[in-house]
């Protein structure tokens, strides 16, 4: 399963669907219909033709993120623009509107908020945000993609 990778790709700003209830046939059909790249750790699924596909070779999150960014030539320039839970683009939320929906300390300490229009979660740049930002910077600065072992592939036909 690549659920944690999906969450981090959302944090980096990429439209990323993840549904563990879909079978291989449904995943391939959805990827084709929506012109998506299917990420998988399943070598048998990776042999499918007619779908853009990337075999994720590592079990480690940092290496997975590094591989996906490198092999798909992605730049995380829209970080923290999507809900990591449901994938919806985040919207700016007025501080006054956020006050009744966040802890009092947060409402007094932070001025900028974002909300998810789908799941109604509220986000702000707290200490957890800095930790995530640091992790992203560490991944981007590392030589992770070249350290990934195994064979990866992108199928297009």
């Amino acid at each position: 399963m690549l659920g944690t990778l999906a969450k981090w790709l959302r944090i980096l700003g990429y439209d990323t669907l993840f549904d563990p209830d879909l079978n291989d046939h449904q995943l391939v059909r959805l990827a084709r219909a929506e012109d998506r790249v299917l990420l998988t750790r399943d070598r048998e699924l990776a042999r499918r033709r007619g779908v853009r596909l990337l075999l994720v070779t590592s079990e480690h999150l940092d290496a997975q993120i590094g591989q996906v960014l490198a092999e798909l030539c992605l730049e995380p320039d829209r970080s923290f623009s999507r809900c990591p839970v449901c994938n919806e683009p985040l919207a700016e939320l007025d501080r006054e509107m956020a006050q009744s929906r966040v802890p009092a300390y947060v409402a007094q300490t932070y001025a900028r908020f974002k909300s998810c229009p789908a799941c109604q979660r509220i986000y702000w740049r707290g200490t957890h945000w800095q930790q995530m930002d640091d992790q992203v910077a560490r991944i981007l600065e590392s030589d992770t993609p070249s350290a990934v072992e195994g064979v990866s592939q992108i199928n297009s036909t």
Side-chain angles (χ1 to χ4, degrees), residues 89-108:
L90 296 175
E92 293 290 331
L93 181 65
D94 182 87
R95 185 178 189 180
E96 291 175 12
M97 295 292 290
Q99 281 183 325
S100 64
R101 299 174 59 196
V102 298
Y105 172 78
V106 171
Q108 292 172 349

Side-chain angles (χ1 to χ4, degrees), residues 22-32 38 45 48:
L22 297 179
N23 64 37
D24 289 357
H25 177 72
Q26 292 169 317
L27 289 170
V28 169
R29 195 170 71 213
L30 181 64
R32 284 181 188 146
L38 179 59
L45 178 59
R48 296 275 181 112

